[in-house]
């Protein structure tokens, strides 16, 4: 069976001066730094293609920040952006609130913490992984259809769904400390497939130079 790679690309920095946990809310656009990150990723992919990489399929979450992150790569590689609802941000009870501890500890929210292993305040890790893995599998097959052996696809998604998918692919427990996720803005979590199964997971940060000073809103 042909080999293939599916890159899970986290979106760039979002303009969010009020520090809102924006979740699935519409019209949260990339900041100036976020647009620079997206351009740097496009340059990264273009350089890889120039060196022989066979990147043939581009997919993005329907949320604005993901679409805007995908756009420079679409232009650089002359690829259409295919919108995929299954790789959207995780559902979260705290969506729309200021991402501050003083808000999260209010008594009206206490019931949401009844099961942090699920987690009870939003979409379960298992459900996120299920929809992400289904979208990844479809992208893998589409990439092979378009480019044959060694083809690559890019899926622009969000931190928690990407990280949960990585944990699942590596056979690790899905529950984790959100502060310790290895999934920075515009990072790549690459699932390398061989014989239809994940052979390894690779992680890289092509826009690492732009990370110092970037926003760190939880769940963004």
């Amino acid at each position: 069976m042909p080999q293939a790679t599916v890159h899970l690309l986290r979106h760039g920095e979002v303009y969010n001066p009020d520090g809102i946990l924006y979740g699935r809310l519409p019209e949260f656009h990339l900041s100036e730094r976020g647009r620079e990150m997206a351009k740097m990723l496009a340059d990264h992919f273009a350089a890889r293609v120039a060196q022989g990489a066979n990147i043939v399929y581009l997919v993005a979450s329907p949320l604005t920040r993901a679409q805007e992150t995908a756009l420079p790569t679409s232009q650089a590689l002359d690829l259409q952006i295919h919108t995929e609802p299954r790789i959207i941000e995780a559902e979260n009870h705290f969506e729309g609130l200021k991402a501050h501890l003083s808000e999260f500890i209010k008594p009206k929210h206490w019931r949401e913490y009844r099961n942090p292993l699920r987690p009870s305040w939003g979409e379960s890790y298992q459900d996120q992984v299920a929809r992400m893995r289904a979208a990844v599998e479809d992208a893998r097959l589409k990439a092979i259809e378009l480019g044959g052996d060694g083809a690559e696809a890019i899926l622009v998604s969000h931190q928690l769904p990407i990280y949960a998918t990585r944990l699942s692919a590596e056979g690790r427990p899905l529950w984790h400390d959100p502060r310790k996720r290895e999934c920075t803005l515009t990072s790549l979590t690459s699932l390398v497939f061989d014989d239809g199964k994940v052979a390894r997971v690779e992680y890289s940060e092509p826009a690492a130079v732009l990370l110092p000073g970037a926003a760190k809103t939880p769940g963004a």
Side-chain angles (χ1 to χ4, degrees):
M1 186 175 293
Q3 295 182 336
T5 300
V6 178
H7 303 284
L8 302 180
L9 167 60
R10 187 185 172 194
H11 62 80
E13 184 189 63
V14 173
Y15 180 70
N16 183 20
D18 296 325
I20 300 298
L21 185 63
Y22 38 76
R24 295 180 176 181
L25 295 176
E27 297 309 314
F28 275 84
H29 297 268
L30 293 183
S31 65
E32 182 176 349
R33 186 197 301 264
R35 292 192 294 272
E36 291 180 23
M37 289 176 166
K39 178 61 167 60
M40 186 169 289
L41 264 294
D43 292 343
H44 167 77
F45 290 127
R48 289 197 62 246
V49 168
Q51 295 168 0
N54 190 19
I55 303 174
V56 296
Y57 193 52
L58 177 61
V59 181
S61 155
L63 295 177
T64 303
R65 58 192 185 271
Q67 295 281 323
E68 291 180 347
T69 300
L71 183 58
T73 295
S74 170
Q75 295 169 335
L77 303 186
D78 193 24
L79 293 175
Q80 177 184 350
I81 300 172
H82 298 271
T83 300
E84 174 54 80
R86 291 176 296 181
I87 63 173
I88 198 169
E89 177 65 280
E91 185 179 20
N92 194 312
H93 166 79
F94 301 108
E95 179 180 287
L97 302 179
K98 283 203 170 185
H100 194 277
L101 180 61
S102 62
E103 179 62 51
F104 296 157
I105 64 174
K106 289 180 179 178
K108 66 180 180 179
H109 300 309
W110 288 356
R111 63 187 178 87
E112 304 300 333
Y113 301 119
R114 62 190 179 275
N115 183 4
L117 300 181
R118 184 183 184 273
S120 51
W121 54 81
E123 182 184 12
S124 73
Y125 296 132
Q126 289 83 358
D127 287 350
Q128 292 178 55
V129 170
R131 60 178 171 82
M132 288 288 290
R133 289 298 293 263
V136 165
E137 177 62 7
D138 286 352
R140 179 186 74 86
L141 294 174
K142 188 65 176 180
I144 292 172
E145 175 189 330
L146 293 172
D149 190 28
E152 302 180 28
I154 302 166
L155 275 61
V156 186
S157 185
H158 308 269
Q159 187 190 66
L160 178 51
I162 291 174
Y163 194 66
T165 302
R166 174 181 177 176
L167 292 176
S168 173
E170 294 178 335
R172 292 194 277 163
L174 299 184
W175 183 86
H176 61 278
D177 183 341
R179 297 169 297 181
K180 297 181 179 180
R181 291 174 190 155
E182 188 180 38
C183 189
T184 61
L185 294 165
T186 53
S187 62
L188 290 172
T189 299
S190 303
L191 307 178
V192 182
F193 288 87
D194 190 5
D195 197 24
K197 298 179 181 178
V198 177
R200 65 183 184 277
V201 178
E202 299 176 350
Y203 177 79
S204 60
E205 297 176 349
V209 68
L210 295 176
L211 292 174
K216 296 181 179 179
T217 303

